[in-house]
Amino acid sequence: MVILILCFGVMAMCMSSGVLAGGDASEDGVGTTLIRFDLHKSLNQEVGIPAGIPGFFTYYFQGKEYHYGFRFDKNGAGEETQVFGTAYVWAPYSIIHYDAAGGIIQEDAAISGMASGSTAFLGNVPLAASRGDGISLGNSGDPLQKSSRYAIDYTIYGNSLALSEGALPTAYRDGYRFLGWYVHTSAGKVKTDKLKELAGKDWFGKIPDELNTRFTERTKVLENMNDERTPALEITVYAKWEKIYDYEK
C-alpha cells in the first residue's frame, strides 16, 4: 500500500488509515498502522508558532526518510479550531512505557486512568489515539503492569512527545527526590536488558546507577539517540531517584 506523505491541505489529501509501504516492522503491525494526530498551531512546540516551524516533520521507516508537509486549518468547525488552527495528520506511532521503579505515578483527580498533569495512561494498558480520533492503537498491554508504578503513552513514530503534544508524567516516592525519566545508553544506543532484569526483580536500588541518559518531552524515540534514522517502535523509560537525607528535610 502506498501512502501519500506530502500533504498540502489538512484533510483532503491525507489518508486516514493504512499501513506504510514496505511491510510491518512488527509481527502484528502495532506501531506501523497510520493513526490520526491533531496538532495545534499556537500550542505545538515542534511544528507550531512556539517553534516557528509550521507544517513540517520527518520520520524514518525501514531506512527510508519520509517528509510530511501540511498546513494548519482555521476554517474547521469548533471553537478550538477557530482559536488555535488545527491540522489532522496521519502517521505511524511509537509507544512510550514509564516505570516509576519504586515510586508511583499519581492519577489525575479529574480524569480517571490518566497520570496527573500528563497525557499518559496509568498501567500498561491498550491505548487509543487520545490526541486524535480515539481509534484503538492495537497494543495489547500487560496485565501484570496495572499498578500506578507504570504508565504508557504514544507519539509520532520515532519523534518526540512534544511533536504530538504529549506531556510526561511525574513520579513520586516517599523519602526520594524525582530526578526525571532516564534510559541507559552506550555510544548512543539504548540498552534495555540489564534494566529489564533489575526492574523485574524489583531491585530498585541498583536501577539509578544504570540510568545515564535523560528522556524529556523533546527526546526522540530512537534505538540510537545519536541517529534519528533509527526509530524505535517502543521504549521504556525509568524514574531516577535521589535519596533525601534528614538534614535536607
Side-chain angles (χ1 to χ4, degrees), residues 94-101 124 145 149-153 181-185 190-193 195-196 199 207 211 213 215 221-222 225 232-239:
S94 297
I95 292 176
I96 303 165
H97 300 276
Y98 302 93
D99 186 339
N124 185 351
Q145 296 183 353
R149 168 181 166 180
Y150 304 98
I152 187 172
D153 205 348
W181 299 103
Y182 281 77
V183 295
H184 177 80
T185 63
V190 178
K191 303 293 186 179
T192 61
D193 290 349
L195 282 167
K196 284 182 178 179
I207 288 178
L211 301 174
T213 302
F215 186 92
V221 181
L222 303 170
M225 295 297 185
L233 278 171
E234 300 189 49
I235 192 170
T236 299
V237 299
Y238 297 85

Coordinates of all heavy atoms in Angstrom, one line a residue, residues 94-101 124 145 149-153 181-185 190-193 195-196 199 207 211 213 215 221-222 225 232-239:
S94 N 5.0 5.5 17.8 CA 5.9 4.8 18.8 C 5.2 4.8 20.2 O 4.5 5.8 20.5 CB 7.3 5.4 18.9 OG 8.0 5.4 17.7
I95 N 5.4 3.8 21.0 CA 4.9 3.7 22.3 C 5.9 3.9 23.4 O 7.0 3.4 23.2 CB 4.2 2.3 22.5 CG1 2.9 2.2 21.6 CG2 3.8 2.1 24.0 CD1 2.3 0.8 21.7
I96 N 5.6 4.7 24.4 CA 6.5 5.0 25.5 C 5.9 4.4 26.8 O 4.8 4.6 27.1 CB 6.6 6.5 25.7 CG1 7.1 7.2 24.4 CG2 7.6 6.9 26.8 CD1 6.9 8.7 24.3
H97 N 6.7 3.6 27.4 CA 6.4 2.9 28.7 C 7.1 3.7 29.8 O 8.3 3.9 29.7 CB 6.8 1.5 28.7 CG 6.1 0.6 27.6 ND1 4.8 0.1 27.8 CD2 6.5 0.3 26.4 CE1 4.5 -0.6 26.7 NE2 5.5 -0.5 25.8
Y98 N 6.4 3.9 30.9 CA 7.1 4.5 32.1 C 7.1 3.5 33.2 O 6.0 2.9 33.5 CB 6.3 5.8 32.5 CG 6.1 6.8 31.5 CD1 5.0 6.9 30.6 CD2 7.1 7.8 31.3 CE1 4.9 7.8 29.6 CE2 7.0 8.8 30.3 CZ 5.9 8.8 29.5 OH 5.8 9.7 28.5
D99 N 8.2 3.4 33.9 CA 8.3 2.6 35.1 C 8.9 3.4 36.2 O 10.0 3.9 36.2 CB 9.3 1.4 34.8 CG 9.4 0.4 35.9 OD1 9.0 0.7 37.1 OD2 9.8 -0.8 35.7
A100 N 8.0 3.6 37.2 CA 8.4 4.5 38.3 C 9.4 3.9 39.3 O 10.0 4.5 40.1 CB 7.2 4.9 39.1
A101 N 9.7 2.6 39.1 CA 10.8 1.9 39.8 C 10.9 2.2 41.2 O 11.9 2.8 41.7 CB 12.1 2.2 39.0
N124 N 0.1 -0.5 32.1 CA 0.5 -0.9 30.7 C -0.8 -1.4 30.0 O -1.1 -2.6 30.0 CB 1.6 -1.9 30.7 CG 2.1 -2.2 29.4 OD1 1.6 -1.8 28.4 ND2 3.2 -3.0 29.3
Q145 N 1.2 -5.3 34.7 CA 1.7 -4.0 34.9 C 0.5 -3.0 34.9 O 0.4 -2.1 34.2 CB 2.6 -3.5 33.8 CG 3.9 -4.3 33.8 CD 4.9 -3.9 32.7 OE1 4.6 -3.0 31.9 NE2 6.1 -4.4 32.7
R149 N 2.6 2.1 39.4 CA 4.1 2.2 39.1 C 4.3 2.4 37.7 O 5.3 2.9 37.3 CB 4.7 0.8 39.6 CG 6.1 0.6 39.1 CD 6.7 -0.7 39.5 NE 7.9 -1.1 38.8 CZ 8.6 -2.2 39.0 NH1 8.1 -3.1 39.8 NH2 9.7 -2.4 38.3
Y150 N 3.3 2.0 36.8 CA 3.5 2.1 35.4 C 2.6 3.1 34.7 O 1.5 3.4 35.2 CB 3.2 0.7 34.8 CG 4.0 -0.4 35.4 CD1 3.5 -1.2 36.4 CD2 5.3 -0.6 35.0 CE1 4.3 -2.3 36.9 CE2 6.1 -1.7 35.5 CZ 5.6 -2.5 36.5 OH 6.3 -3.5 37.1
A151 N 3.0 3.6 33.5 CA 2.2 4.4 32.7 C 2.6 4.2 31.3 O 3.7 3.6 31.0 CB 2.2 5.9 33.1
I152 N 1.8 4.6 30.3 CA 2.0 4.4 28.9 C 1.5 5.6 28.1 O 0.5 6.2 28.4 CB 1.4 3.1 28.5 CG1 1.8 2.7 27.0 CG2 -0.1 3.1 28.6 CD1 1.3 1.3 26.6
D153 N 2.2 5.9 27.0 CA 1.8 6.9 26.1 C 2.3 6.6 24.7 O 2.9 5.6 24.5 CB 2.3 8.3 26.6 CG 1.5 9.5 26.1 OD1 0.6 9.3 25.2 OD2 1.7 10.6 26.6
W181 N 12.9 11.2 34.0 CA 12.9 9.9 33.3 C 14.2 9.7 32.5 O 14.7 10.6 31.9 CB 11.7 9.8 32.4 CG 10.4 10.0 33.1 CD1 9.6 11.1 33.2 CD2 9.7 9.0 33.9 NE1 8.5 10.9 34.0 CE2 8.5 9.6 34.4 CE3 10.0 7.7 34.2 CZ2 7.7 8.9 35.2 CZ3 9.1 7.0 35.0 CH2 8.0 7.6 35.5
Y182 N 14.7 8.4 32.6 CA 16.0 8.1 32.0 C 16.0 6.8 31.4 O 15.2 5.9 31.6 CB 17.1 8.1 33.1 CG 17.6 9.5 33.6 CD1 16.8 10.2 34.4 CD2 18.8 10.0 33.2 CE1 17.2 11.5 34.9 CE2 19.3 11.2 33.6 CZ 18.5 12.0 34.5 OH 18.9 13.2 34.9
V183 N 17.0 6.6 30.5 CA 17.3 5.3 29.9 C 18.8 5.1 30.0 O 19.5 6.0 30.4 CB 16.9 5.2 28.4 CG1 15.4 5.3 28.3 CG2 17.6 6.3 27.6
H184 N 19.3 3.9 29.7 CA 20.7 3.6 29.7 C 21.1 3.6 28.2 O 20.5 2.9 27.4 CB 21.0 2.3 30.3 CG 22.5 2.0 30.2 ND1 23.5 2.5 31.1 CD2 23.2 1.2 29.4 CE1 24.7 2.1 30.7 NE2 24.5 1.3 29.7
T185 N 22.2 4.3 27.9 CA 22.7 4.3 26.5 C 24.2 4.0 26.6 O 24.9 4.3 27.5 CB 22.5 5.6 25.8 OG1 23.2 6.7 26.4 CG2 21.0 6.0 25.6
V190 N 20.4 2.6 22.9 CA 19.6 2.4 24.1 C 19.7 0.9 24.4 O 19.4 0.0 23.6 CB 18.1 2.7 23.9 CG1 17.3 2.4 25.1 CG2 18.0 4.2 23.5
K191 N 20.2 0.6 25.7 CA 20.4 -0.7 26.2 C 19.3 -1.0 27.2 O 19.1 -0.3 28.1 CB 21.8 -0.9 26.8 CG 22.9 -0.5 25.9 CD 23.1 -1.5 24.7 CE 24.3 -1.3 23.9 NZ 24.4 -2.2 22.8
T192 N 18.7 -2.2 27.0 CA 17.5 -2.5 27.9 C 17.6 -3.7 28.7 O 16.9 -3.8 29.8 CB 16.3 -2.7 27.0 OG1 16.5 -3.8 26.1 CG2 16.0 -1.4 26.1
D193 N 18.5 -4.7 28.4 CA 18.5 -6.0 29.1 C 18.7 -5.9 30.6 O 18.0 -6.5 31.4 CB 19.5 -6.9 28.4 CG 19.1 -7.3 27.0 OD1 18.0 -7.1 26.6 OD2 20.0 -7.9 26.3
L195 N 18.4 -3.3 32.6 CA 17.3 -2.6 33.3 C 16.1 -3.5 33.4 O 15.4 -3.4 34.5 CB 17.0 -1.3 32.6 CG 18.0 -0.1 32.8 CD1 17.7 1.0 31.8 CD2 17.8 0.4 34.2
K196 N 15.7 -4.2 32.4 CA 14.6 -5.1 32.5 C 14.8 -6.2 33.6 O 13.9 -6.5 34.3 CB 14.4 -5.8 31.1 CG 13.7 -4.9 30.1 CD 13.5 -5.7 28.8 CE 12.8 -4.9 27.8 NZ 12.6 -5.6 26.5
A199 N 14.5 -4.3 37.0 CA 13.1 -3.9 37.3 C 12.2 -5.1 37.5 O 11.3 -5.1 38.4 CB 12.6 -3.1 36.1
I207 N 18.9 0.4 40.1 CA 18.5 0.9 38.8 C 19.1 2.3 38.5 O 19.6 2.6 37.4 CB 17.0 1.0 38.7 CG1 16.4 -0.4 38.5 CG2 16.5 1.9 37.6 CD1 14.9 -0.5 38.5
L211 N 21.1 4.4 34.8 CA 20.4 5.4 34.1 C 21.3 6.6 33.8 O 21.6 7.3 34.7 CB 19.1 5.9 34.9 CG 18.1 4.7 35.1 CD1 17.0 5.3 36.1 CD2 17.6 4.2 33.9
T213 N 21.1 8.6 30.6 CA 20.6 9.5 29.6 C 19.2 9.9 29.9 O 18.3 9.1 29.9 CB 20.7 8.8 28.2 OG1 22.0 8.4 28.0 CG2 20.2 9.7 27.1
F215 N 15.5 11.4 29.4 CA 14.4 11.4 28.4 C 13.4 12.5 28.8 O 12.8 12.5 29.8 CB 13.7 10.0 28.4 CG 12.7 9.9 27.3 CD1 13.0 9.3 26.1 CD2 11.4 10.3 27.5 CE1 12.1 9.1 25.1 CE2 10.4 10.1 26.5 CZ 10.8 9.6 25.3
V221 N 12.1 9.2 20.1 CA 12.0 7.8 20.5 C 12.9 7.0 19.5 O 12.4 6.7 18.4 CB 10.6 7.3 20.5 CG1 10.5 5.8 20.9 CG2 9.8 8.2 21.5
L222 N 14.1 6.7 19.8 CA 15.1 6.1 18.9 C 15.7 4.9 19.5 O 15.8 4.8 20.8 CB 16.1 7.1 18.5 CG 15.7 8.4 17.9 CD1 16.8 9.4 17.8 CD2 15.0 8.2 16.5
M225 N 20.2 7.1 20.2 CA 19.9 8.5 20.4 C 20.8 9.5 19.6 O 20.5 10.7 19.5 CB 20.1 8.9 21.9 CG 19.1 8.1 22.8 SD 17.4 8.6 22.5 CE 16.5 7.8 23.7
A232 N 12.4 3.8 17.2 CA 12.0 2.6 18.0 C 10.5 2.5 18.0 O 9.8 3.5 18.2 CB 12.6 2.8 19.4
L233 N 10.0 1.3 17.8 CA 8.6 1.1 18.0 C 8.1 1.3 19.4 O 7.0 1.8 19.6 CB 8.2 -0.4 17.6 CG 8.0 -0.6 16.1 CD1 7.9 -2.1 15.8 CD2 6.8 0.1 15.5
E234 N 8.9 0.9 20.4 CA 8.6 1.1 21.8 C 9.9 1.4 22.5 O 11.0 1.0 22.1 CB 8.0 -0.2 22.4 CG 6.7 -0.7 21.7 CD 6.0 -1.8 22.5 OE1 5.9 -1.7 23.7 OE2 5.7 -2.8 21.8
I235 N 9.7 2.1 23.6 CA 10.8 2.4 24.5 C 10.3 2.4 26.0 O 9.1 2.8 26.2 CB 11.5 3.8 24.2 CG1 12.8 4.0 24.9 CG2 10.5 4.9 24.5 CD1 13.6 5.2 24.4
T236 N 11.1 1.9 26.9 CA 10.8 2.0 28.3 C 11.7 3.0 29.0 O 12.9 2.8 28.9 CB 10.9 0.6 29.0 OG1 9.9 -0.3 28.3 CG2 10.5 0.7 30.5
V237 N 11.2 3.9 29.7 CA 12.0 4.9 30.5 C 11.7 4.7 31.9 O 10.6 4.3 32.3 CB 11.7 6.3 30.0 CG1 12.0 6.5 28.5 CG2 10.2 6.7 30.3
Y238 N 12.7 5.0 32.8 CA 12.6 4.7 34.2 C 12.8 5.9 35.0 O 13.6 6.8 34.6 CB 13.7 3.7 34.6 CG 13.6 2.3 33.9 CD1 14.1 2.1 32.6 CD2 12.9 1.3 34.5 CE1 13.9 0.9 32.0 CE2 12.8 0.0 33.9 CZ 13.3 -0.1 32.6 OH 13.1 -1.4 32.0
A239 N 12.1 6.0 36.1 CA 12.3 7.1 37.1 C 13.6 7.0 37.7 O 14.0 5.9 38.2 CB 11.2 7.1 38.1

